[in-house]
Amino acid sequence: MKLASLQSGGRDGRLVVVNRELSQAVAVPEIAHTLQQAMDQWSLAEPRLQDVYRKLQAGQCGDAFALKVEDLASPFPRGYQFLDGSVYLHHMEKARKARGAAMPNNYKTEPLMYQGLSDRYCGPREPMRLPGEEFDADYEAEVAVVLDDVPMGTNAEQARKHIKLVMLLNDYTLRALTKTELPKGFGFMQAKPTSSFSPVAVTPDELGEAWDGFKLSLPLISEVNGRRMGQPNAGVDMFFTYPDLIAHAARTRSLGAGTIIGAGSVSNQDERSGFGCIAEARIHEELAYGKAQTPFFRFGDVVRIEMFDARGQSIFGAIEQSIEAA
């Protein structure tokens, strides 16, 4: 099943069920007005939404309409909680090396995670607006999961059943600010502006054999200004899994329905897969050529992130955003 939110629904969007081809949609106010409302009562809403999805696929929804991605907000235009991990240790090692920081002693025993901005997310086609070009803005191509209510103390085995939706994520990072912000010891604040998510969120059953309950094993493609940056496989070199991240976050608190957890910029040790962010490309260039050649974002640049299934069908739709002045 694929779900999205129309911008026309106000600050929290208007929930629609989307067909597999991302070409048609149908509103479902009789089930839930927003995706967050559906998450709050997922055990009741999910089977009803799945029934609508089956009818939409069969062409049996008379009130279906042609879907335009430009009309969509983020699946969750805002949320109660956004947590982002960094489980591709190859990426973490490179990112820290670039800013001259050492790896934490426990980085292989406990996932690295921060709590990010969640009161507003960018739509998949909405420009990313920044106050200036001097902050070395970068993208991070990620896969995120959405949870129902998770009790405190949930372990990794129990956590699998709480994953209800999967989305793509662009976790923007202002690299110039990480160098001064992280040494303070209080984590990200200014260095992490709002994030953006794919046009649709999908239930794990849509992912077939690529989803095993722990990770999604498909290439995640990213481009900047039409230039392919990389296509690392999200299921390769993943040191901690999504259930690991959930269990880590729930160790001392419960997680409310609609909590979003990302796993960090996808990065493979095989550099032939390319990169999931500009910073990694620059580190590679410095080692290979003695100087970074790929610039961080400038106003007018366009970033695109997308994932395809084995048949070549876009699963989530593409995040495609221009970088503009605020």
Side-chain angles (χ1 to χ4, degrees), residues 18-31:
V18 179
N19 69 345
R20 187 168 289 117
E21 296 73 25
L22 309 179
S23 61
Q24 287 193 312
V26 61
V28 285
E30 71 281 5
I31 301 175

Side-chain angles (χ1 to χ4, degrees), residues 105-222:
N105 294 330
N106 61 346
Y107 79 106
K108 288 188 176 181
T109 57
E110 293 184 10
L112 194 69
M113 180 177 285
Y114 79 94
Q115 185 154 357
L117 179 154
S118 62
D119 58 346
R120 180 188 178 277
Y121 303 123
C122 274
R125 293 292 191 273
E126 181 183 356
M128 179 62 183
R129 295 184 172 89
L130 299 171
E133 294 182 326
E134 69 273 18
F135 300 117
D136 293 344
D138 195 358
Y139 77 97
E140 293 192 28
E142 306 186 22
V143 177
V145 297
V146 185
L147 315 177
D148 65 358
D149 287 301
V150 180
M152 181 172 60
T154 295
N155 62 35
E157 181 60 32
Q158 297 165 336
R160 295 176 61 187
K161 67 182 181 181
H162 292 289
I163 299 173
K164 302 304 180 184
L165 296 171
V166 183
M167 306 184 291
L168 301 185
L169 160 64
N170 185 353
D171 178 44
Y172 284 99
T173 303
L174 306 183
R175 300 289 182 191
L177 295 180
T178 63
K179 298 176 182 179
T180 57
E181 198 163 59
L182 290 181
K184 297 176 183 178
F186 249 41
F188 293 115
M189 177 60 186
Q190 295 177 342
K192 289 288 188 179
T194 189
S195 300
S196 59
F197 296 93
S198 50
V200 302
V202 311
T203 47
D205 59 286
E206 281 291 314
L207 303 170
E209 294 181 355
W211 174 260
D212 63 1
F214 299 94
K215 57 186 181 299
L216 176 56
S217 296
L218 286 171
L220 183 55
I221 298 169
S222 61

Side-chain angles (χ1 to χ4, degrees), residues 248-268:
H248 178 75
R251 182 183 180 189
T252 60
R253 57 178 170 173
S254 60
L255 309 177
T259 292
I260 300 169
I261 295 186
S265 180
V266 178
S267 177
N268 294 165

Side-chain angles (χ1 to χ4, degrees), residues 1-6 9 11-18 28-29 31-42 45-46 49 73-80 121 146-148 164-167 197-203 257-260:
M1 174 171 62
K2 301 189 177 187
L3 303 172
S5 295
L6 293 173
R11 294 184 69 175
D12 294 305
R14 180 159 60 104
L15 176 62
V16 292
V17 178
V18 179
V28 285
I31 301 175
H33 291 280
T34 68
L35 186 48
Q36 180 60 52
Q37 186 180 19
M39 294 305 306
D40 288 339
Q41 51 180 353
W42 188 250
E46 191 268 343
L49 291 169
S74 168
F76 294 86
R78 56 179 175 170
Y80 291 121
Y121 303 123
V146 185
L147 315 177
D148 65 358
K164 302 304 180 184
L165 296 171
V166 183
M167 306 184 291
F197 296 93
S198 50
V200 302
V202 311
T203 47
T259 292
I260 300 169

Side-chain angles (χ1 to χ4, degrees), residues 3 11 15 40 54 59-61 75 96 121-122 142 176 187 203 206 237 256 275 278 280 284 294:
L3 303 172
R11 294 184 69 175
L15 176 62
D40 288 339
R54 286 189 289 269
Q60 297 173 353
C61 290
R96 292 204 167 212
Y121 303 123
C122 274
E142 306 186 22
T203 47
E206 281 291 314
D237 299 322
F275 315 101
I278 294 173
E280 274 200 41
H284 170 76
T294 303

Side-chain angles (χ1 to χ4, degrees), residues 72 94 98 303 312:
L72 294 178
K94 283 190 169 184
V303 58

